[in-house]
Amino acid sequence: MRETAVPAAGQPRTPYRRRLLGRRLPVLLATALVLTLLGPFGTFADLTLAQRLAYWCGLIGLGGLAFELLTLGAGHLLRERAGAWRAMLAGVILAVAALMTLTVALLEKTLRGMDFLRPLGLAELFVYVVLVTLLVSAIPVWLELRDRGLLADPTPPPSPPLPDNAAAPPAEPREPAFLARLPARLGRDLLALEMEDHYVRVHTAEGSDLILMRLRDAIAELAGLEGMQVHRSHWVAAAAVAGVERKPDGKLVLVLRNGLRVPVSRSYAAAVREAGWAEKTGP
């Protein structure tokens, strides 16, 4: 069976190369060609077609490279803080715009003798550069955020108010957040979690798969589901334990409903016994 890694919140579902070549580069090339043909900001009248092509391809390419590098760097620093993407994106856009404003000012002075190297000139140029940056990055950024699952779902309409004499319906128990990460084919009958490098292997009654996240984070998202960590690398659901084996050295091994055997480390053995798991007999 082929293993598929399910990304954690904020992690992209599509490989980086496909996102770069299939989304961002085509948008940059199309934008450069459109600006070359239209020749905005006086470039149509002052530059030849070849010069406009070099001018706009160079600026869009440099801006795209700066945006890509800054985004990768900021994303690496904030990889554990998916909720900070708005501040990160705003900071990247402003940083790229500031860099490109200075670049365009120097290029215009050299190429067409236009002096923007004044506070008012730089401020005016900065506004134009921000607008171009937003137009160029809008589609790739939207696709990237959607791929990472960071776009919030629309807010559902509010429920109609209950009459004063009506009893509020009982609150339904909330499903542990971690179960939403499971692929549909694995169902929701969670048996155990097992740490594998930077992944967590999920075992259910239907099979197993890998999820890109830390074991301790996965356990934190299982609040409300009866179970416990029995080893540095293992967590087991209470309903999954079918029996217990004892090794000659006294260590316990949990036998799960699907036949999986999970070791119990000495530091967790007392908790396993207190939970009554050690008294369970095998099938």
Side-chain angles (χ1 to χ4, degrees), residues 66-159:
F67 192 92
E68 191 71 23
L69 294 177
L70 288 174
T71 302
L72 289 175
H76 179 73
L77 293 175
L78 300 176
R79 63 183 181 276
E80 301 296 339
R81 299 174 56 192
W85 65 266
R86 292 179 179 86
M88 180 200 77
L89 184 58
V92 168
I93 289 176
L94 292 177
V96 171
L99 172 64
M100 295 308 299
T101 296
L102 182 59
T103 301
V104 173
L106 294 173
L107 182 61
E108 285 294 309
K109 187 174 181 62
T110 302
L111 191 62
R112 295 197 291 171
M114 301 179 67
D115 186 11
F116 288 99
L117 295 173
R118 296 169 286 102
L120 188 60
L122 289 174
E124 178 184 358
L125 193 58
F126 181 79
V127 173
Y128 291 133
V129 172
V130 168
L131 292 176
V132 173
T133 302
L134 290 175
L135 289 174
V136 173
S137 61
I139 294 177
V141 166
W142 181 79
L143 292 173
E144 182 76 9
L145 294 177
R146 189 182 67 172
D147 189 68
R148 291 174 178 265
L150 294 176
L151 294 178
D153 296 330
T155 304
S159 302

